[in-house]
Amino acid sequence: MRETQEPLEVLHRVFGHTGFRGMQEEVVRHAVAGGSGLVLMPTGGGKSLCFQVPALCRPGLGVVVSPLIALMEDQVAALRQQDVPAAALHSDLDPDEARAVRRALNEGSLKLLYVSPERLVNEETLARLDEMRIALFAIDEAHCVSQWGHHFRPEYRGLTVLAERFPGVPRLALTATADPRTVQDIQRQLRLEDSPLFRASFDRPNIFISAQPREQERAQLRAFIRRAGDGTGAGLIYCGSRRKAEQTADWLRADGHDSLVFHAGLDPVQKREAHRRFARGDAVVMAATIAFGMGIDRPDVRWVAHTDLPRSPESWYQEIGRAGRDGLPAQALLLYGAGDIALARHRIGESGAGDDQKRVERQRLDAMVAIAEAATCRRQLLLRCFGEDAPEPCGQCDICLSPPRLFDGTVAAQKLLSAVLRTGRRFGVGHLVDVLHGKTTAKVAQFGHDQLPTFGVGRDLTETAWKGIARQLVAQGALDVAVENHGELVPTDAARPILKGERPVMFREELVTPASRPMTRARAADAAALASPGDPCFAALRDWRRRTALAQGVPAYVIFQDRTLAEIAAGRPDSLAALGTIPGVGATKLERYGQAVLGIIRDCD
Ligand code: ADP
Ligand code: ZN
């Protein structure tokens, strides 16, 4: 039987990384020593190595439970590139493939087995595992065990059996969902109450975050994509409905983007194809609902945009966390409107959930609205939702870059609220602005609104400013939008003290051109050592990688990640030894691709 191996040595030799990141080392050493635990790390934080390294260090087979076939397949492909004997066992294998996996298991030639939860708890699999030496069980995306999350998978509940049946084998559960209920649920279900909890910081400093009121959605998105895209990495747009995802993919395509669509209404074959094209394509843009989530392993997602307000900071963060897993600069943009806020509130009220659950969901929504309407650093607000206190503003969000000015909007709020009341609570914001501006439109004349005392009292503010005030009153809970009708504004109880002058209101001045950091500056900050995207050597390496990946039928990043190619292009190594010192070039990849890469470099000089 193999001796236990040194984690750092495995990290260098197999994965080609120079060192562990953050909490990884602590988790790995704990698991190698035979300990169980729950690991909370943000998306892109590097969870895979937390179980892959100990599985390779310890004698026996590492068993990884994963909820998604695409995810398993990509991880297995990546491991095989590093010469790690790995396989996946799930319902999608044809009988020949399943037999080959079982044979490899019997022969004891596998080091890592990825398996779906239902396959694992099947008696036949368990009986086979009983006979074998198991290095550890890793339960990836462990929040699937919890009913509180959006991704509850009843089959995950069956995993309780692991603690009873394999008492001496370490169990590592991993997730990016850190809210206390989910955490407790995981600990209880997986019998991890007495094991340590490893909680990494949830900050992802390489993601620049920004939010804007939705005014001209397409124009805003076009500008964002122009700024955030780098011509090679992928982008993701989350939409509030299936229809919007379809429409968005359509106009993106008409704009000349290689666009894809994903939502729960697609059939399994279409879904798999969308996943595959997203993983394999170069500069693809995916328009999707939140159904597109787990199984996105692509490290070079350069930007994530939301066209509608997410329901909680947790879901928003998980979605934008899919950007910049490679550690290079990435950007997130949130577009939202007053209607979104009202609609989300309305939905919670109408849902069949219990009062407790409704209260929790309202709190989450309010926290999300506060981030969208923030007047101070957005990241500080966001991290506070995860129980982290960031002492300093981040300098990596739109608010930090150009803080909005606040003004006392009590009088403006009174004017708007009184226009709402005097017109009979029956009109949307457009008509109300016409009244405030004193415009005699046909509708104004029809209803005699030019006779109201509020007619023309709001000429001092622009239409954009008035719309901003209406939205901020909705966000502050003083106005409601009748979502089931035509978006008419209706005052709530909270409007009364404002009208009476008992409560002052502060507003953010609406920015005319929303701030955002141009990509070039953010990139330059990253590392002068990295080659510029325009470097012909980098382009040649990418082209070689594309061909190599295509020939093997694997995603390009499985061969080498962008970051690694950029460092190779910048360093122009002229020997295998020099190439081997570059992060991301492990022993196996050096042997497999070293000569080819050196050849490409020679050709471009
Ligand atoms: P998660 O599953 O937590 O979302 P991954 O395990 O997919 O994150 O890792 C995210 C990215 O970070 C991957 O591209 C991986 O190669 C890289 N990575 C993780 N750990 C390290 C490390 N110690 N050194 C260098 N790169 C790392
Ligand atoms: Zn900030």
Side-chain angles (χ1 to χ4, degrees):
M1 198 50 69
R2 232 157 43 110
E3 292 296 306
T4 303
Q5 296 188 33
E6 177 53 32
L8 259 178
E9 202 269 319
V10 169
L11 184 75
H12 297 317
R13 181 172 46 81
V14 180
F15 297 95
H17 294 318
T18 39
F20 285 110
R21 269 193 202 157
M23 296 230 74
Q24 282 175 335
E25 178 151 22
E26 207 181 320
V27 176
V28 166
R29 294 207 178 277
H30 176 75
V32 170
S36 297
L38 171 57
V39 180
L40 308 181
M41 261 186 201
T43 312
K47 285 184 285 296
S48 320
L49 285 179
C50 289
F51 57 84
Q52 287 171 344
V53 173
L56 297 182
C57 289
R58 286 169 61 83
L61 173 73
V63 179
V64 185
V65 183
S66 173
L68 216 87
I69 293 171
L71 191 70
M72 297 191 215
E73 294 290 355
D74 285 354
Q75 288 221 355
V76 166
L79 285 163
R80 287 186 179 159
Q81 286 294 325
Q82 279 137 341
D83 257 1
V84 175
L89 193 58
H90 52 72
S91 52
D92 251 27
L93 298 182
D94 64 41
D96 278 348
E97 291 170 319
R99 216 169 301 127
V101 174
R102 260 182 249 122
R103 192 176 330 113
L105 262 181
N106 288 341
E107 288 166 356
S109 58
L110 282 183
K111 233 358 249 177
L112 273 162
L113 177 69
Y114 282 74
V115 61
S116 58
E118 55 275 11
R119 268 299 154 104
L120 174 60
V121 300
N122 156 320
E123 186 47 42
E124 193 190 328
T125 316
L126 288 174
R128 180 164 280 117
L129 295 182
D130 278 338
E131 309 286 305
M132 304 182 56
R133 184 151 186 187
I134 311 287
L136 59 76
F137 288 105
I139 297 117
D140 205 3
E141 312 285 0
H143 56 278
C144 291
V145 87
S146 169
Q147 252 159 346
W148 289 103
H150 306 322
H151 299 287
F152 178 52
R153 290 274 300 259
E155 312 86 72
Y156 261 65
R157 286 283 163 102
L159 298 173
T160 303
V161 70
L162 297 178
E164 292 147 18
R165 189 141 173 176
F166 304 89
V169 178
R171 276 165 288 120
L172 272 190
L174 306 101
T175 178
T177 307
D179 73 277
R181 282 158 194 274
T182 310
V183 169
Q184 261 180 19
D185 240 10
I186 297 172
Q187 289 175 317
R188 209 175 22 238
Q189 294 290 335
L190 299 177
R191 305 276 183 274
L192 291 169
E193 295 101 329
D194 298 326
S195 305
L197 175 68
F198 299 92
R199 182 192 287 271
S201 164
F202 269 66
D203 194 12
R204 294 280 310 283
N206 63 316
I207 304 176
F208 183 91
I209 53 181
S210 59
Q212 295 167 9
R214 188 173 48 235
E215 273 146 21
Q216 290 175 309
E217 183 177 298
R218 290 186 191 182
Q220 287 170 294
L221 287 172
R222 281 191 182 110
F224 173 66
I225 296 174
R226 239 191 334 269
R227 239 175 11 239
D230 66 348
T232 59
L236 247 167
I237 300 186
Y238 280 106
C239 305
S241 68
R242 294 176 187 182
R243 221 169 77 95
K244 188 142 165 203
E246 299 273 3
Q247 289 167 344
T248 305
D250 284 347
W251 71 255
L252 284 164
R253 194 166 306 118
D255 264 15
H257 290 285
D258 182 4
S259 74
L260 304 168
V261 69
F262 191 100
H263 54 68
L266 301 182
D267 65 44
V269 176
Q270 293 172 312
K271 282 185 186 166
R272 210 166 318 135
E273 177 60 12
H275 261 291
R276 205 188 58 80
R277 285 189 54 203
F278 184 75
R280 308 287 196 271
D282 262 354
V284 289
V285 178
M286 170 67 87
T289 63
I290 54 168
F292 189 64
M294 286 187 299
I296 309 172
D297 250 4
R298 192 173 166 151
D300 62 339
V301 175
R302 287 276 68 85
W303 53 265
V304 175
H306 283 74
T307 62
D308 304 87
L309 189 78
R311 54 204 255 186
S312 69
E314 288 84 0
S315 21
W316 185 52
Y317 203 41
Q318 204 159 72
E319 283 141 22
I320 66 173
R322 291 173 186 138
R325 283 180 179 225
D326 51 11
L328 294 173
Q331 300 206 33
L333 171 69
L334 165 64
L335 299 181
Y336 66 101
D340 302 8
I341 304 174
L343 182 63
R345 285 191 183 140
H346 180 75
R347 278 192 183 146
I348 295 175
E350 298 288 288
S351 77
D355 286 348
D356 265 3
Q357 174 102 22
K358 281 186 183 172
R359 194 170 38 77
V360 171
E361 289 191 6
R362 282 204 187 93
Q363 285 166 355
R364 287 180 172 163
L365 180 62
D366 286 348
M368 190 63 234
V369 172
I371 293 170
E373 291 282 340
T376 56
C377 175
R378 290 189 206 277
R379 198 179 308 266
Q380 282 182 315
L381 291 174
L382 187 57
L383 289 174
R384 211 163 293 148
C385 299
F386 296 98
E388 282 179 48
D389 258 323
E392 299 289 328
C394 72
Q396 270 279 63
C397 73
D398 52 350
I399 302 282
C400 280
L401 235 52
S402 63
R405 277 205 301 255
L406 292 182
F407 67 98
D408 183 337
T410 313
V411 172
Q414 286 169 338
K415 286 180 183 171
L416 179 67
L417 289 172
S418 103
V420 170
L421 290 173
R422 288 181 191 275
T423 53
R425 313 163 191 238
R426 288 158 50 208
F427 297 92
V429 70
H431 180 68
L432 293 165
V433 173
D434 287 342
V435 172
L436 289 164
H437 275 173
K439 267 197 211 155
T440 320
T441 64
K443 204 166 169 183
V444 166
Q446 183 193 344
F447 290 97
H449 288 164
D450 46 357
Q451 303 305 314
L452 297 175
T454 29
F455 187 71
V457 297
R459 292 200 179 93
D460 52 333
L461 293 174
T462 63
E463 177 176 348
T464 311
W466 280 117
K467 286 188 171 164
I469 288 171
R471 197 195 62 253
Q472 293 181 59
L473 283 172
V474 172
Q476 295 179 15
L479 273 180
D480 212 353
V481 185
V483 287
E484 282 183 326
N485 299 314
H486 302 101
E488 49 266 41
L489 295 174
V490 189
T492 68
D493 287 347
R496 205 167 306 139
I498 299 176
L499 275 164
K500 285 193 189 154
E502 292 165 6
R503 186 165 85 79
V505 235
M506 298 302 286
F507 289 124
R508 283 181 353 160
E509 221 164 68
E510 292 299 309
L511 303 165
V512 187
T513 33
S516 169
R517 168 170 294 190
M519 199 59 193
T520 42
R521 256 181 67 195
R523 288 197 160 263
D526 183 59
L530 289 193
S532 73
D535 181 343
C537 185
F538 181 56
L541 286 166
R542 286 184 57 98
D543 187 53
W544 163 81
R545 179 183 65 176
R546 192 182 48 74
R547 282 180 276 117
T548 311
L550 207 62
Q552 300 186 29
V554 296
Y557 66 82
V558 158
I559 309 281
F560 282 119
Q561 294 196 6
D562 271 0
R563 197 186 184 106
T564 307
L565 292 189
E567 296 214 12
I568 295 174
R572 300 275 210 277
D574 55 3
S575 68
L576 282 177
L579 182 59
T581 62
I582 288 178
V585 186
T588 306
K589 289 193 179 172
L590 188 63
E591 193 180 308
R592 262 192 214 179
Y593 306 122
Q595 292 300 352
V597 167
L598 291 177
I600 304 276
I601 297 172
R602 267 194 304 275
D603 286 349
C604 41
D605 278 335

